[in-house]
Amino acid sequence: MNGSRLHLALGLLLLGIVLSLGWLTQRFSTAFDVTANERHSLAPATVDVLQSLDKPVELIAVLGPDPAQQAGVRALVSRFQAIKPDLQLQFINPETDPAAARALDAAPGGELILRTAGREQRLQTLSERTLVDSLRLLNREGERDIVFITGHEERSPVRGDNDGWSRMATDLQAIGLVSREVSLVSQPRLSDDIDLVVLAAPRRPYFPGEIASLNDYLLRGGNLLWLSEVPNDAPAGPGLQLLADQLGVDTLPGRVIDSNSQALNAQSPDFVLLDRFPAHPVTDRLTSPILLPQASALSVTPLAGQETLPLLQTPASSWTETGVLSGAIQFDADTTEVAGPLLLGVSIERPRAQGTQRIAVLGDADFAASQFLDNGGNKAFTESLLLWLTGEADALEFVTHKALDSELQLDNRSIVIISTTYLAALPALLLLIAVIVRWRRRR
């Protein structure tokens, strides 16, 4: 009898322990990442960004009904929510709720929309790095002043025509990059408060005073984006040879033709598609190709005191075509045409007392025009370029440590022994066994 009571008491005690543990697991949660490279933990830089956010964040995932895709989003966002509980996640299925997807103006293939404090960021690819970079941009205080020089038939961030940058300017404003037009005739001195000056493919000559204003701005360490489609020494060109000499960058005559691009894009023979990019912070996260319509190539002369890096480069199948774009088009070595690879964009960094001066020169302005902005990665490239130029895209350092057993390193002797064993000795042994078996069966 006493034994039965003891068993009953032990059973009730065990049941109480189980119920208590179940209650504790509902109230408290603790996780330990015991992987060698801590691949299930957020980077310290990510935690710092999340802890600096003092406003609620809404993440709208416009995705199809794929359970694996949604589970992947939830898994990553849940790690962010552990640090920032007011990060709200909402799914919208464009197939079952197309009206909501249209109201958000979501991309056809799906999109992730981040919103906080009246600002918005959109992602086509989700990773810890892209998500925390977007949160950092949304949390940035103040706005950046981007000035487009006007008066020389440049592309405009205000006018709503197909060749203008008005759509891109609207998207940039959502992340705090505000664009406006300035005439150097009415405002000769560019203020030190300007974060970036844009020369958006000027086609008419500048006055000497305007050139002096631009030169003064550069000497004071201002950042510059120069979209140059016409050679500076052309009769009707912008006449910015002084700037070209100071930067060591000039525009080559002719339009860039790439035979590889023609197999992928048949709109025009001088449309170039690039899906391979030199190593650069602007392009290191691009996942889609860039379309550059009617681009010009650049001639670069390295200068002391500045670091010049390639930004966009064509393959060897390209050349600068100076003839008429009709009929059979091919490279003519007996002319001034230049064979690829060709530089379509370069970046320049100069050390200054107040920081690093950043300059980018590209041989095209159509890639961010309203009619071409939605092609491939054009929009992502333009946003990344302007963020880098304004000093807002300094990459966060995500250090991923490799697992201890993720690599096998062998010396030359070991490689020879393993290769000989598996490529010669083992096949010979198997062949010998087969011969012996066949011989014994025949006997």
Side-chain angles (χ1 to χ4, degrees), residues 9-19:
L10 291 175
L12 292 175
L13 179 60
L14 179 61
L15 178 61
I17 292 174
V18 172
L19 293 176

Side-chain angles (χ1 to χ4, degrees), residues 81-370:
Q81 290 173 327
I83 307 297
K84 185 171 177 57
D86 57 355
L87 172 60
Q88 303 297 324
L89 174 63
Q90 175 188 358
F91 285 95
I92 292 181
N93 186 347
E95 298 179 8
T96 58
D97 195 356
R102 285 195 300 270
L104 293 170
D105 194 23
E111 200 165 30
L112 301 168
I113 305 173
L114 276 168
R115 291 176 173 175
T116 182
R119 290 183 173 179
E120 180 180 283
Q121 269 279 79
R122 297 186 175 227
L123 304 173
Q124 273 72 46
T125 58
L126 179 64
S127 66
E128 179 183 347
R129 182 172 183 174
T130 59
L131 184 54
V132 74
D133 274 358
S134 299
L135 290 171
R136 183 173 58 87
L137 291 173
L138 291 175
N139 194 43
R140 186 203 330 104
E141 295 183 1
E143 296 178 335
R144 297 297 178 263
D145 187 17
I146 300 179
V147 167
F148 282 69
I149 303 301
T150 186
H152 317 87
E153 298 183 8
E154 296 94 343
R155 308 300 175 93
S156 171
V158 179
R159 297 192 305 271
D161 53 351
N162 286 335
D163 292 331
W165 278 40
S166 58
R167 285 186 55 202
M168 191 69 238
T170 301
D171 293 337
L172 291 172
Q173 188 170 1
I175 58 173
L177 302 181
V178 180
S179 303
R180 61 188 176 95
E181 290 184 330
V182 166
S183 169
L184 293 176
V185 174
S186 57
Q187 186 177 328
R189 189 181 189 280
L190 295 169
S191 170
D192 293 334
D193 297 332
I194 296 174
D195 296 286
L196 177 66
V197 166
V198 181
L199 306 180
R203 293 188 172 274
R204 290 197 295 107
Y206 283 72
F207 292 112
E210 294 178 299
I211 298 176
S213 297
L214 291 174
N215 186 48
D216 175 67
Y217 170 78
L218 287 178
L219 292 177
R220 287 186 279 118
N223 300 323
L224 175 70
L225 171 59
W226 185 5
L227 308 173
S228 176
E229 296 181 333
V230 181
N232 295 291
D233 56 358
L240 295 175
Q241 193 62 48
L242 175 63
L243 268 64
D245 294 339
Q246 288 193 11
L247 301 178
V249 181
D250 212 336
T251 308
L252 296 176
R255 287 286 177 258
V256 175
I257 307 295
D258 179 27
S259 57
N260 288 346
S261 298
Q262 304 314 308
L264 302 174
N265 178 74
Q267 298 183 53
S268 180
D270 55 357
F271 278 31
V272 177
L273 275 172
L274 299 180
D275 61 353
R276 296 290 185 271
F277 311 103
H280 199 283
V282 172
T283 57
D284 64 353
R285 280 172 285 172
L286 288 181
T287 58
S288 301
I290 298 176
L291 173 66
L292 296 106
Q294 301 179 338
S296 298
L298 304 176
S299 172
V300 178
T301 302
L303 299 179
Q306 66 182 32
E307 181 184 14
T308 304
L309 295 176
L311 187 59
L312 297 176
Q313 187 171 7
T314 64
S317 60
S318 60
W319 71 91
T320 58
E321 178 60 49
T322 58
V324 180
L325 299 182
S326 62
I329 303 173
Q330 62 182 6
F331 173 66
D332 190 349
D334 297 329
T335 63
T336 58
E337 295 179 353
V338 180
L342 302 170
L343 286 174
L344 302 187
V346 295
S347 69
I348 298 172
E349 289 189 278
R350 295 171 169 176
R352 291 290 186 263
Q354 70 275 21
T356 302
Q357 181 185 31
R358 289 178 171 177
I359 301 169
V361 184
L362 280 77
D364 182 53
D366 287 317
F367 64 90
S370 296

Side-chain angles (χ1 to χ4, degrees), residues 360-443:
V361 184
L362 280 77
D364 182 53
D366 287 317
F367 64 90
S370 296
Q371 61 178 328
F372 298 113
L373 187 60
D374 294 328
N375 285 273
N378 285 24
K379 180 179 177 181
F381 169 73
T382 308
E383 180 178 310
S384 179
L385 176 63
L386 269 68
L387 286 171
W388 181 82
L389 287 168
T390 55
E392 290 291 334
D394 296 328
L396 295 175
E397 296 295 332
F398 291 94
V399 180
T400 303
H401 300 285
K402 295 182 179 179
L404 300 178
D405 57 352
S406 63
E407 289 186 350
L408 177 63
Q409 297 183 353
L410 301 173
D411 55 22
N412 292 334
R413 180 183 177 185
S414 300
I415 294 175
V416 171
I417 293 175
I418 293 176
S419 301
T420 304
T421 301
Y422 284 96
L423 298 179
L426 186 58
L429 177 61
L430 294 175
L431 180 61
L432 178 61
I433 293 174
V435 171
I436 294 174
V437 170
R438 180 173 178 82
W439 175 75
R440 293 188 63 178
R441 286 181 176 178
R442 292 185 64 179
R443 290 188 60 188

